[in-house]
Amino acid sequence: MNSTTNELAIAASGLRKAYGDKTVLDGIDLHVPAGTVFSLLGPNGAGKTTAVQILSTLITADAGELWVGGHNLASHPQSVRAAIGVTGQFSAVDNLITGEENMLLMADLHHLSRREGRRVAAELLERFDLVEAAKKPASTYSGGMRRRLDIAMTLVGSPRIIFLDEPTTGLDPRSRHNMWNIIRGLVAGGVTVFLTTQYLEEADELADRIAVLNGGKLVAQGTANELKRLVPGGHVRLRFTDPVAYRSAAVALREATRDEESLSLQIPSGGSQRELRAILDWLDSADVEADELTVHTPDLDDVFFALTSHPTAAAPAALKENVR
Ligand SMILES: Nc1ncnc2c1ncn2[C@@H]1O[C@H](COP(=O)(O)OP(=O)(O)OP(=O)(O)O)[C@@H](O)[C@H]1O
Ligand SMILES: [Mg+2]
């Protein structure tokens, strides 16, 4: 281990993977400091799962220098495997057996003694609020329970680095928040988390650093705030219920962007008090009375749309400069 790989839980440079003539990862670089949450975002098919599968030794890369947990992925995949846990996009839970039996199976795979296996399984079932369900077949579990069991199973081997591929897809808001607390708890215990998600709010909540994957490349990387600064998404939105009022407002407010379907108009604005007052004065003088007025500051959704709207097109120059 050299000094760089020491502090980094995951270090990838020039990671490349193609399926046939389709290049999925076109030479990407990733650096995840130990004890942090790194979130990989990207539209469906961008290659998030592929990246997780490569870094967790499930499939091999075509090229790239890859280090996980201080071990070289090509020369020491077994050492990498011993250091990590993976919760795949699709559940690893065996539905035919109970939650507890799934846990004990994992304990066996990790070569824990019978006694130790039972202790770890009981502790994790408790932590993931699955004690009551433990003796029931996993086939009877709800999606949220199955996801919790999935992650509990990942933690049996006490991994220092965990890969979570869309851990909260399909969960209701409460279960999602519970999952976030679980992830925060892991990080507080020093675990490094590599997270993929479709929920930008999730990356915003959890991730120390976020990377956006599109067209085989990382089109931006940074903290949530750094990424948000990349897009000028601030606007005031006026919504109308009466199509006639909407149309006359649209004529009066020529500079506004129209959305005919939702009968709404968008006026670019940074959202400051001064700007809002100017807009309100302007609306009064144009005799426009909207049914709803909302102020929208740029969020990760805006960043995501700006960066991933054209699958093959390059990111705007201003955004590219922020790729580190
Ligand atoms: N085994 C495979 N053989 C051929 N093509 C594959 C294989 N696995 C993935 N792909 C292709 O690689 C691309 C990336 O897939 P991947 O599953 O990594 O995307 P993703 O970002 O995880 O998408 P999602 O958000 O839908 O989960 C897709 O075009 C997919 O069709
Ligand atoms: Mg995926």
Side-chain angles (χ1 to χ4, degrees), residues 34 108 117 190 213 254 256 269 277 296:
D108 276 351
L213 189 59
R254 269 173 219 287
S269 161
R277 186 174 297 121
H296 181 97

Side-chain angles (χ1 to χ4, degrees), residues 182-242:
I182 288 168
I183 294 170
R184 288 193 190 101
L186 291 172
V187 178
V191 171
T192 307
V193 177
F194 187 104
L195 171 85
T196 78
T197 181
Q198 297 290 347
Y199 301 105
L200 306 179
E201 187 198 356
E202 180 159 294
D204 208 351
E205 283 280 335
L206 296 175
D208 296 294
R209 287 185 72 74
I210 297 168
V212 183
L213 189 59
N214 193 48
K217 301 268 191 199
L218 289 185
V219 289
Q221 233 185 118
T223 63
N225 282 335
E226 282 168 352
L227 293 183
K228 285 178 204 170
R229 280 201 288 272
L230 298 180
V231 291
H235 59 259
V236 167
R237 187 179 166 89
L238 305 173
R239 218 169 52 76
F240 300 83
T241 45
D242 176 8

Side-chain angles (χ1 to χ4, degrees), residues 55-253:
L55 294 170
S56 60
T57 78
L58 296 173
I59 59 174
T60 53
D62 297 340
E65 164 123 3
L66 310 173
W67 296 80
V68 174
H71 310 286
N72 187 281
L73 214 74
S75 59
H76 294 85
Q78 291 292 0
S79 310
V80 172
R81 253 167 247 152
I84 65 169
V86 192
T87 304
Q89 182 166 5
F90 304 103
S91 176
V93 170
D94 184 340
N95 274 324
L96 297 176
I97 57 177
T98 69
E100 186 177 44
E101 286 162 348
N102 269 287
M103 295 293 288
L104 294 174
L105 200 61
M106 287 306 288
D108 276 351
L109 288 176
H110 283 281
H111 306 297
L112 299 187
S113 70
R114 227 183 132 70
R115 196 163 152 208
E116 182 65 0
R118 292 210 164 271
R119 190 189 65 74
V120 170
E123 186 208 296
L124 285 167
L125 287 166
E126 165 94 45
R127 187 157 136 210
F128 285 80
D129 199 16
L130 289 167
V131 175
E132 239 172 81
K135 308 272 189 212
K136 294 179 187 147
S139 57
T140 64
Y141 287 18
S142 72
M145 288 161 78
R146 189 166 298 127
R147 212 62 186 134
R148 289 209 301 279
L149 178 60
D150 229 354
I151 296 190
M153 286 162 64
T154 305
L155 296 182
V156 167
S158 310
R160 301 304 296 157
I161 301 170
I162 65 171
F163 293 88
L164 300 173
D165 196 358
E166 300 198 23
T168 67
T169 297
L171 297 191
D172 70 26
R174 183 185 303 276
S175 306
R176 176 165 305 142
H177 279 264
N178 287 343
M179 191 59 76
W180 292 353
N181 283 335
I182 288 168
I183 294 170
R184 288 193 190 101
L186 291 172
V187 178
V191 171
T192 307
V193 177
F194 187 104
L195 171 85
T196 78
T197 181
Q198 297 290 347
Y199 301 105
L200 306 179
E201 187 198 356
E202 180 159 294
D204 208 351
E205 283 280 335
L206 296 175
D208 296 294
R209 287 185 72 74
I210 297 168
V212 183
L213 189 59
N214 193 48
K217 301 268 191 199
L218 289 185
V219 289
Q221 233 185 118
T223 63
N225 282 335
E226 282 168 352
L227 293 183
K228 285 178 204 170
R229 280 201 288 272
L230 298 180
V231 291
H235 59 259
V236 167
R237 187 179 166 89
L238 305 173
R239 218 169 52 76
F240 300 83
T241 45
D242 176 8
V244 177
Y246 164 76
R247 268 192 292 277
S248 61
V251 172
L253 308 175

